[in-house]
């Protein structure tokens, strides 16, 4: 069985923190995985992109604390067959339970440690998109 699909994984990153976005891109570029990252910086832009009929990402990585439409509201308003992983710095257990109840496959706590951040990002992609 081949390890890499021929066409790249279409990853939809919904994240408003420029530092996290750059780090995310860097980690994926270094990983050797074929991943094309689509980016939305707020919930409104994300919703707009998700309603495009030709846009079918393999994985959605969602930060909860985003402007315009917060991540939780986005999950409440929009359902998808595409796996959604919440990647957040929130340590609120209730929020975590709510996210999973709304259909997110996983809740991943962001790490400030570069190596750990890298492991988390690559793990999410391998588990849910590959």
């Amino acid at each position: 069985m081949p390890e890499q699909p021929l066409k790249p994984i279409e990853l939809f990153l919904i994240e408003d923190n420029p530092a996290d976005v750059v780090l995310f891109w860097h980690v994926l570029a270094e990983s050797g995985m074929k991943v094309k990252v689509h980016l939305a910086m707020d919930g409104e832009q994300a919703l707009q992109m998700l309603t495009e009929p030709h846009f079918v990402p393999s994985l959605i990585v969602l930060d909860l604390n985003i402007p315009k439409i917060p991540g939780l509201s986005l999950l409440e308003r929009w359902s998808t067959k595409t796996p959604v992983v919440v990647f957040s710095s929130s340590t609120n257990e209730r929020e975590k339970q709510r996210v999973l109840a709304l259909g997110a496959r996983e809740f991943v706590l962001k790490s400030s440690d570069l190596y750990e951040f890298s492991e988390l990002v690559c793990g999410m992609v391998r588990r849910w998109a590959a």
Side-chain angles (χ1 to χ4, degrees):
M1 196 163 101
E3 269 190 41
Q4 284 296 332
L6 292 174
K7 64 182 209 159
I9 292 164
E10 301 282 336
L11 188 142
F12 186 27
L13 177 61
I14 306 169
E15 170 66 72
D16 66 317
N17 180 330
D20 284 351
V21 171
V22 168
L23 198 53
F24 210 93
W25 256 316
H26 179 73
V27 163
L28 290 173
E30 293 286 300
S31 75
M33 288 186 278
K34 287 189 170 126
V35 182
K36 182 176 181 189
V37 179
H38 304 269
L39 176 68
M41 299 290 280
D42 63 58
E44 221 169 72
Q45 187 185 13
L47 210 51
Q48 197 178 354
M49 288 171 74
L50 289 166
T51 55
E52 292 288 321
H54 302 296
F55 183 58
V56 186
S58 326
L59 173 65
I60 298 169
V61 177
L62 172 66
D63 181 22
L64 291 181
N65 194 7
I66 51 174
K68 296 186 182 168
I69 303 171
L72 260 176
S73 302
L74 205 57
L75 281 171
E76 286 164 356
R77 289 167 66 169
W78 186 79
S79 70
T80 175
K81 289 178 180 68
T82 303
V84 176
V85 174
V86 170
F87 193 42
S88 177
S89 49
S90 170
T91 53
N92 181 330
E93 195 55 40
R94 238 203 199 119
E95 218 171 33
K96 182 180 178 179
Q97 295 308 318
R98 181 83 183 114
V99 155
L100 296 171
L102 287 168
R105 304 286 173 94
E106 192 177 11
F107 184 100
V108 179
L109 189 62
K110 284 182 185 173
S111 174
S112 54
D113 176 79
L114 187 60
Y115 176 77
E116 212 173 288
F117 188 95
S118 176
E119 290 294 298
L120 293 171
V121 168
C122 292
M124 284 187 277
V125 174
R126 284 192 192 101
R127 273 192 303 283
W128 301 111

